[in-house]
Amino acid sequence: MDKIRERLAALRAEADAAVARAEEAESKNKKLDHELMTKDQEIVSLSHKVSNLESDLDAAETKITESKAGKDEEESHKSVNDSLNRKIALLESELDNSEKQLRETTDKLRQVDVKAEHFERQVARVEAERDSWEKKFEDAQAKFVASQRELDEVVQQMESI
């Protein structure tokens, strides 16, 4: 019976070792599959880069051909460039004049704002003065009405005498 137990223990140990080796093999297999997938993606990426570089090479060769043909046209472009530079200088001059006018206009606007504030203060002062005169008028009118009543009473008293 001990032999069977020993044999069973040995078989279990072998099974555990086999399971461990199988797990290790599966791990290595997954790792290799991942590396293979990475390499495949790298191959696709490099293929794409190669095709891009080939198209860039074709474009560069076309540009070289165009550049050689465009060398003759360079003189006409120089004259166009000179005229554009003159236009730029003229536009810059106009811009400077416009900026100067803008500064002058801004200064005038500030002066007008200062005057407007001054006049607003005067208007406020005059309105306050007007309000004061209106109050005095109302008070005087009230006194007048009161005096008129007293006078009417005095007149009635005199008439009744």
Side-chain angles (χ1 to χ4, degrees):
M1 185 80 152
D2 285 337
K3 282 188 171 187
I4 294 174
R5 284 188 183 153
E6 288 176 15
R7 179 74 177 144
L8 188 58
L11 286 174
R12 282 188 184 150
E14 283 180 33
D16 288 344
V19 167
R21 280 194 322 264
E23 287 176 353
E24 185 180 331
E26 285 178 7
S27 173
K28 285 182 181 178
N29 189 23
K30 285 182 181 179
K31 183 178 179 183
L32 290 174
D33 282 344
H34 181 61
E35 287 180 16
L36 178 63
M37 189 182 332
T38 304
K39 297 294 180 185
D40 285 343
Q41 289 175 349
E42 197 174 316
I43 288 171
V44 168
S45 174
L46 291 174
S47 297
H48 182 67
K49 284 183 181 179
V50 166
S51 68
N52 284 343
L53 290 174
E54 286 175 350
S55 66
D56 289 348
L57 176 63
D58 291 340
E61 288 174 347
T62 302
K63 284 183 180 181
I64 289 172
T65 304
E66 291 173 359
S67 294
K68 288 179 182 177
K71 192 173 186 181
D72 295 334
E73 296 176 16
E74 185 175 339
E75 289 301 318
S76 64
H77 290 296
K78 282 185 181 180
S79 65
V80 170
N81 188 28
D82 290 340
S83 69
L84 289 176
N85 283 334
R86 285 190 297 271
K87 285 183 181 179
I88 288 172
L90 179 64
L91 288 173
E92 285 175 345
S93 172
E94 288 178 9
L95 177 63
D96 291 340
N97 289 337
S98 295
E99 287 175 346
K100 181 180 174 184
Q101 289 175 350
L102 177 63
R103 282 190 298 271
E104 290 172 358
T105 303
T106 303
D107 289 342
K108 288 179 183 177
L109 180 60
R110 285 185 189 133
Q111 290 172 0
V112 167
D113 281 344
V114 168
K115 287 180 182 178
E117 288 176 10
H118 174 71
F119 287 130
E120 285 174 358
R121 284 192 297 267
Q122 282 183 343
V123 165
R125 184 179 48 81
V126 168
E127 285 177 347
E129 192 175 318
R130 181 202 64 203
D131 291 343
S132 170
W133 281 106
E134 285 178 353
K135 177 135 177 72
K136 286 179 183 179
F137 172 75
E138 288 172 2
D139 291 343
Q141 187 146 6
K143 286 180 183 178
F144 173 75
V145 168
S147 296
Q148 187 72 32
R149 277 191 219 131
E150 284 180 25
L151 181 62
D152 288 343
E153 287 176 13
V154 168
V155 168
Q156 282 181 354
Q157 286 176 0
M158 289 181 99
E159 286 179 359
S160 63
I161 296 185

